[in-house]
Every structure is written in structure tokens, then in C-alpha cells.
Amino acid sequence: DAGVIQSPRHEVTEMGQEVTLRCKPISGHDYLFWYRQTMMRGLELLIYFNNNVPIDDSGMPEDRFSAKMPNASFSTLKIQPSEPRDSAVYFCASSFMGQGNTEAFFGQGTRLTVV
Amino acid sequence: SQKIEQNSEALNIQEGKTATLTCNYTNYSPAYLQWYRQDPGRGPVFLLLIRENEKEKRKERLKVTFDTTLKQSLFHITASQPADSATYLCALTSGNNRKLIWGLGTSLAVNP
């Protein structure tokens, strides 16, 4: 397996524009996580899915953020409209939890810059 | 509120020495604690997981301890190498909760 694949790797957009980040998890994994990482706040969990169903979105900062997982092999994180304070690295991670907690496999991340 | 603290200052050590990184937590009763390595421009990579009923876990040159009384985990890299230079993150989760709470990480530099 190629691991967790995210696209794009870099995104520069103007304030007010819609941004869509994409993630393909590892095949067979039943959990998918979206994180945001900044120097000041570190890794923050935004939302996670179990078997394509959103379980906890309490980390989503505002209604401008939304996430979907239409099937087991694809998820999107959308920001509309984007603001400069959304600039960060966004990571997608997947896990196979089975009966207990296990490691998370991260993608390479998407570095988002909103100007 | 729940809080995880890691050494905020970068750790510089000489090649061959043992690096020891600290992860302290408050207002939390984790069932699992994990350590990850992150290199610049890349996502975190899993290293070790330790459960609340385990005191110590080892993997090659890595050792993790977990003291639920002190609310602390120590991460050791023995016989350190320049290739071990990276940021190391600890993360906690409790029970059936799948959410990981993360520290800000400690930057380690191993000098040749």
C-alpha cells in the first residue's frame, strides 16, 4: 500500500475562496482523522470518521469547515470561505482500530496558505 | 482542562549518548500513550505505544516508560545517531475514545 495519500501538497489561495483538501486512507483502515498543525497549537484533531461515519466533529473550528467521507477510500475537508488564520498544515491519518487503540498512519500533509 | 507538556526547549546531545524526552500530563487518565517522530515537511510516524498497565516498553534502541502516578512518560533513545534528529511527539487517549490528545513536541538534535 502507498500509505495515506493527501492532495494537494501545497495550496495558496486568496481569502474568501473555497479550499478542498483530499485524502485517500490506507485500504482496510476503519478510522480516518483530520488534523490541523500550527507552531502555536500543535496538532489539533478536527474530526474523525469510523467506517465512513463522522463520530466527533467537536474540533471543527467553525461552520466554514466541513468534512465528508463518501466511501472507505476517500475523504475531503472543505473550508468555505477561507481566511488567513486558516493557514496551517492539514494532515489526514488513518488507523485500523479493531478491538483497541493502535497507531495512526499520517499522510504527507497539505500546507495551506491563505493570503 | 486537559494538558500535555513536553520539553519546550530543543534538546542537543552528542552522538552515542542517550536522549531522554519527557511527556507530562494533567487532568487526564489515559489508557494509552503513544510516541511519534516527525521530520520537517512530513507527517508524524508512529514509534511506540504503551498501555496504562505497562511500566515499560522497548523497541530496538527506543525505550518508553509510563508512570500513571507521576502522570509522566519518558522516552529514551540509546546510542543516539545524527539520523535520530527530529521532533518527537507524545499523544494520549483514554479507554474506548479514539481521539488522540497531542503534546507540542520536543526537537532533538544529535550532533556528530
Side-chain angles (χ1 to χ4, degrees), chain B residues 4 22 29 43 70 94 105:
Chain B
I4 299 174
T22 305
S29 296
L70 291 179
S94 60

Side-chain angles (χ1 to χ4, degrees), chain A residues 4-5 13 17 20 61 68 86-87 92 95 112:
Chain A
V4 176
I5 299 173
T13 191
Q17 296 298 305
T20 299
K68 294 181 180 179
D86 301 331
S87 297
C92 174
S95 298
L112 174 65

Side-chain angles (χ1 to χ4, degrees), chain B residues 53-81:
Chain B
N53 60 352
E54 297 175 318
K55 297 293 185 186
E56 183 179 296
K57 188 75 85 65
R58 291 176 185 260
K59 178 183 175 182
E60 298 173 351
R61 294 184 296 111
L62 309 180
K63 185 178 85 170
V64 172
T65 62
F66 194 9
D67 189 325
T68 55
T69 301
L70 291 179
K71 294 187 181 296
Q72 180 182 78
S73 174
L74 297 178
F75 177 78
H76 307 272
I77 306 175
T78 59
S80 60
Q81 304 166 1

Side-chain angles (χ1 to χ4, degrees), chain A residues 9 31 33 35 37 40-43 45 48 56 58 91 97-98 100-104 106-108, chain B residues 32 34 36 38 41-46 49 51 89 93-100 102-104:
Chain A
R9 288 295 311 278
Y31 280 81
F33 305 83
Y35 288 94
Q37 187 175 39
M40 290 301 296
R41 301 174 68 91
L43 268 170
L45 179 66
Y48 76 93
D56 188 335
S58 60
F91 286 104
M97 290 290 187
N101 276 272
T102 59
E103 62 190 281
F106 282 77
Q108 297 276 53
Chain B
Y32 303 87
Q34 302 184 30
Y36 287 75
Q38 186 173 23
R42 305 181 76 87
V45 174
F46 173 80
L49 178 151
R51 293 174 173 77
L89 302 161
T93 189
S94 60
N96 291 323
N97 193 335
R98 303 317 193 193
K99 292 172 66 168
L100 281 169
W102 296 81
L104 290 178

Side-chain angles (χ1 to χ4, degrees), chain B residues 8 14 23-24 27-28 33 59 67 69 86 98 108:
Chain B
S8 56
Q14 206 62 32
C23 177
N24 296 300
N27 297 325
Y28 204 65
L33 187 147
K59 178 183 175 182
D67 189 325
T69 301
R98 303 317 193 193
L108 171 68

Side-chain angles (χ1 to χ4, degrees), chain A residues 30 33 42 47 59-60 81-82 114:
Chain A
D30 54 355
F33 305 83
I47 185 172
M60 297 285 260
S82 58
V114 183

